[in-house]
C-alpha cells in the first residue's frame, strides 16, 4: 500500500481523498484510479510546479491530445510506480544516482520505461522554463535487459480462446488473427471503414494507411460483427453497445484467457501469430504495416522452426 502520497492526495479509512483547503473529495479505494484522478486535477491547476509528482501530472495532461491513448495509459501506469518513490521530491532534488538505483532495483523492462518517462518530463520542464538544471534521467548508462517476447500462440490455443469467447468476440478474435492489427487499431475500426475494395485502416502507431483486401472469410466475419448495424458505429462493441475503452478491453481479455485456461497469453501475441503464419517475411511485414522487415523478423516471426532429424 503506497504511503508517500503526492501533495493533496490523502488516504483515510482505506479510501483516497483529494484535499484542497478544508474540502475532502472522495476518490474511491483503488489507488491507481485515485492517482489518475489526482493527476487530471493537478494537471488543470495553475499553481507553480515544484515537485516531481506535479510535473508528471502536468506532462501527462499536456500530452493527452498529441499522443495515442495507449501511450497515455502506459504513462499513467508508470506514474503509479514513480510517485510513491519520487513524487514529493522537488524537481531540483533528483540526482542521476537516484535514477540509476531506481532502475537497477526495479530490474525489469518497466524500470526502463519509467526512467524514459522521467527523462521526458525533465526535458518538457526544461523547455517550459519550469526547471533549469541538467536532466538527471537522460543518458543513463544502465538498462535492464530486454528480451523480445517469443510467445507463439498455437492453432489449438487460438481455437480454445475462440471457443471460450463471448458471442461478439468469437468473430472478432478470428478477424484479429487474419488481419494482424494492433489492439488500438482494432478498437478504432468503424463500420464505415469498409468498402467494396476492402477495409481502410490508418495505423495509430505510424500513421500509415493500409487497405486490407477482402477474403471470403473476412467478409463473413465483418458481417457477423456488424450485425445489420450501419454508419460510423464501432466494429466491436461491449455489452452496453458502446466502444471499448483500452482499459475495458484489457479487463475483458484477462477474463477471456482465464475462461480459456491459457494464462500466459497477451492479446498482442495474436499479432505475432499472424506475422509467424504469413507465407513469407515480405507478406508478414506488409500485413503488419512494418517499414523494416528486420522488425518483423526479430519480433514477429516467432513460430518454432521445424527441423528434420538426422538420418
Amino acid at each position: 500500500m503506497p504511503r508517500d502520497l503526492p501533495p493533496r492526495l490523502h488516504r483515510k479509512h482505506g479510501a483516497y481523498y483529494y484535499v484542497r483547503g478544508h474540502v475532502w473529495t472522495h476518490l474511491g479505494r483503488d489507488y491507481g484510479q485515485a492517482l489518475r484522478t489526482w493527476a487530471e486535477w493537478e494537471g488543470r491547476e495553475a499553481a507553480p510546479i515544484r515537485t516531481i509528482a506535479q510535473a508528471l501530472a502536468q506532462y501527462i495532461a499536456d500530452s493527452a491530445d498529441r499522443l495515442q491513448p495507449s501511450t497515455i495509459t502506459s504513462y499513467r501506469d508508470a506514474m503509479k510506480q514513480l510517485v510513491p518513490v519520487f513524487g514529493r521530491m522537488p524537481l531540483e532534488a533528483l540526482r542521476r544516482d537516484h535514477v540509476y538505483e531506481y532502475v537497477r532495483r526495479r530490474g525489469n523492462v518497466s524500470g526502463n520505461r519509467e526512467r524514459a518517462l522521467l527523462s521526458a518530463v525533465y526535458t518538457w520542464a526544461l523547455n517550459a522554463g519550469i526547471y533549469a538544471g541538467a536532466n538527471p534521467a537522460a543518458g543513463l548508462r544502465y538498462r535492464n535487459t530486454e528480451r523480445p517476447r517469443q510467445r507463439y500462440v498455437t492453432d489449438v490455443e487460438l481455437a480454445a480462446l475462440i471457443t471460450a469467447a463471448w458471442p461478439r468476440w468469437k468473430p472478432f478474435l478470428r478477424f484479429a488473427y487474419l488481419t494482424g492489427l494492433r489492439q488500438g487499431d482494432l478498437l478504432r475500426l468503424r463500420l464505415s471503414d469498409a468498402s467494396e475494395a476492402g477495409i481502410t485502416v490508418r495505423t495509430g502507431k505510424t500513421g500509415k494507411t493500409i487497405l486490407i483486401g477482402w477474403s471470403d472469410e473476412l467478409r463473413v466475419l465483418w458481417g457477423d460483427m456488424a450485425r445489420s448495424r450501419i454508419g460510423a458505429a464501432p466494429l466491436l462493441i461491449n455489452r452496453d453497445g458502446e466502444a471499448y475503452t483500452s482499459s475495458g478491453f484489457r479487463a475483458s481479455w484477462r477474463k477471456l484467457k482465464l475462461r480459456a485456461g491459457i494464462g500466459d497469453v497477451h492479446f498482442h501475441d495474436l499479432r505475432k501469430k499472424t506475422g509467424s503464419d504469413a507465407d513469407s517475411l515480405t507478406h508478414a511485414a506488409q500485413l503488419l504495416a512494418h517499414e523494416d522487415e528486420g522488425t518483423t523478423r526479430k519480433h514477429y516471426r516467432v513460430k518454432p522452426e521445424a527441423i528434420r532429424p538426422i538420418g
Side-chain angles (χ1 to χ4, degrees):
M1 187 64 64
R3 296 180 180 178
D4 193 12
L5 298 174
R8 290 183 287 280
L9 182 62
H10 295 259
R11 185 170 184 268
K12 185 176 182 180
H13 303 311
Y16 294 92
Y17 295 83
Y18 185 80
V19 181
R20 180 167 287 281
H22 298 292
V23 179
W24 287 59
T25 304
H26 184 263
L27 302 183
R29 293 179 174 272
D30 181 78
Y31 170 65
Q33 182 58 52
L35 189 60
R36 285 192 292 273
T37 304
W38 173 87
E40 291 170 3
W41 291 0
E42 286 289 303
R44 294 197 298 262
E45 289 296 322
I49 293 172
R50 297 188 176 90
T51 68
I52 292 174
Q54 290 171 327
L56 281 162
Q58 188 63 56
Y59 175 75
I60 293 174
D62 286 357
S63 301
D65 292 335
R66 63 182 180 82
L67 297 178
Q68 294 296 321
S70 59
T71 302
I72 297 299
T73 297
S74 68
Y75 280 177
R76 287 171 176 160
D77 289 341
M79 186 177 175
K80 285 194 293 185
Q81 302 299 323
L82 291 167
V83 165
V85 180
F86 300 123
R88 287 184 173 273
M89 291 177 65
L91 284 169
E92 296 77 10
L94 186 66
R95 301 196 309 263
R96 192 180 185 83
D97 59 302
H98 293 153
V99 181
Y100 167 80
E101 186 63 17
Y102 176 84
V103 175
R104 189 186 68 81
R105 285 180 179 274
R106 285 286 280 159
N108 54 22
V109 173
S110 295
N112 298 339
R113 305 287 188 269
E114 290 147 17
R115 182 213 61 81
L117 175 58
L118 270 179
S119 182
V121 166
Y122 271 87
T123 297
W124 165 82
L126 280 163
N127 292 335
I130 297 168
Y131 171 75
N135 186 334
L140 194 68
R141 292 187 178 180
Y142 180 86
R143 188 177 180 85
N144 295 322
T145 302
E146 297 190 36
R147 296 182 178 86
R149 181 174 167 85
Q150 299 294 305
R151 177 69 160 89
Y152 176 73
V153 178
T154 67
D155 292 345
V156 171
E157 288 175 322
L158 178 57
L161 287 165
I162 293 173
T163 299
W166 308 279
R168 63 186 178 278
W169 273 63
K170 291 181 184 294
F172 170 75
L173 291 176
R174 184 68 184 172
F175 179 86
Y177 164 62
L178 291 179
T179 61
L181 292 173
R182 296 180 181 88
Q183 174 188 314
D185 295 335
L186 287 163
L187 296 185
R188 282 190 296 273
L189 277 177
R190 297 293 184 267
L191 301 181
S192 54
D193 292 325
S195 67
E196 282 303 313
I199 305 163
T200 301
V201 183
R202 182 175 175 83
T203 60
K205 188 170 184 178
T206 65
K208 182 178 181 180
T209 299
I210 60 175
L211 178 68
I212 302 175
W214 293 112
S215 66
D216 291 341
E217 183 178 4
L218 212 56
R219 281 187 184 275
V220 171
L221 292 171
W222 187 277
D224 288 345
M225 287 184 286
R227 294 183 181 178
S228 301
R229 294 177 297 134
I230 59 174
L235 179 64
L236 179 68
I237 54 175
N238 60 25
R239 62 185 179 183
D240 297 321
E242 300 175 348
Y244 272 94
T245 63
S246 180
S247 59
F249 182 88
R250 290 199 305 272
S252 293
W253 175 256
R254 286 193 296 269
K255 293 177 183 177
L256 173 58
K257 66 183 185 179
L258 291 176
R259 282 166 60 117
I262 309 172
D264 179 32
V265 61
H266 301 170
F267 183 77
H268 193 73
D269 293 336
L270 295 186
R271 181 169 161 85
K272 294 185 182 231
K273 177 173 176 59
T274 304
S276 299
D277 290 352
D279 53 8
S280 70
L281 177 62
T282 298
H283 183 205
Q286 291 173 340
L287 192 56
L288 301 179
H290 288 159
E291 296 288 348
D292 180 9
E293 288 187 1
T295 299
T296 313
R297 181 186 300 107
K298 180 178 180 181
H299 298 284
Y300 293 89
R301 300 289 276 186
V302 297
K303 188 174 183 177
E305 182 180 358
I307 302 174
R308 181 173 56 83
I310 193 170

